[in-house]
């Protein structure tokens, strides 16, 4: 099982790829690693942060997709009716855009540091964009 480190703002989380459930998404994301972006607070979805990626094409379609990621789950929306994005849930999320409900591929799960997840999410909400980096260890 592949282990990841996610540096998010002032916090570090351990994580794992969901290789059996989302093998194509994991393979595509691996090619982009280490992956760096800015996390901003979601607009419509609830308690989550997202990384807007515009027209970036990971070349994947739906697999292991959900509209309701649990806290600590990372999903990739591969684009279509809205822009490509990655979302990290820190609380209750109903994944949506101005176009309506969306579903993203659950491909990473945080495995440690979850006690800091809501603090990170609220820091993004109240203090603005935070750097985020995904790297394999």
């Amino acid at each position: 099982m592949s282990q990841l480190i996610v540096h998010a703002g002032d916090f570090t989380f351990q994580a794992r790829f969901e290789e059996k459930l989302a093998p194509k998404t994991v393979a595509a994301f691996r090619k982009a690693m280490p992956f760096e972006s800015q996390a901003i607070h979601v607009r419509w979805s609830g308690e989550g942060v997202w990384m807007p990626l515009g027209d970036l094409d990971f070349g994947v379609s739906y697999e292991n997709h959900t509209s309701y990621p649990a806290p600590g789950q990372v999903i990739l929306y591969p684009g279509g009716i809205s822009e490509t994005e990655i979302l990290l849930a820190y609380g209750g999320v109903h994944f949506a855009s101005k176009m309506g409900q969306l579903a993203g591929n659950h491909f990473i799960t945080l495995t440690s540091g979850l006690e800091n997840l809501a603090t990170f999410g609220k820091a993004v909400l109240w203090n603005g964009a935070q750097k985020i980096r995904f790297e394999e260890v």
Side-chain angles (χ1 to χ4, degrees), residues 116-133:
N116 296 317
L117 190 54
T119 303
F120 168 66
K122 291 175 184 171
V124 174
L125 175 64
W126 294 107
N127 301 326
Q130 302 286 311
K131 290 182 181 181
I132 191 163
R133 177 183 170 93

Side-chain angles (χ1 to χ4, degrees), residues 5-6 23 30 35-36 44 49 53 61 63 76 85-86 89 97 102 108 115 126-127 129 136-137:
I5 298 291
V6 180
R30 239 188 202 124
F35 186 85
E36 296 183 5
W44 296 278
V49 299
L53 302 175
S61 59
E63 63 177 357
L76 169 72
E85 65 181 89
I86 294 172
S97 74
L102 300 173
I108 293 174
E115 68 277 4
W126 294 107
N127 301 326
E136 200 161 5
V137 293

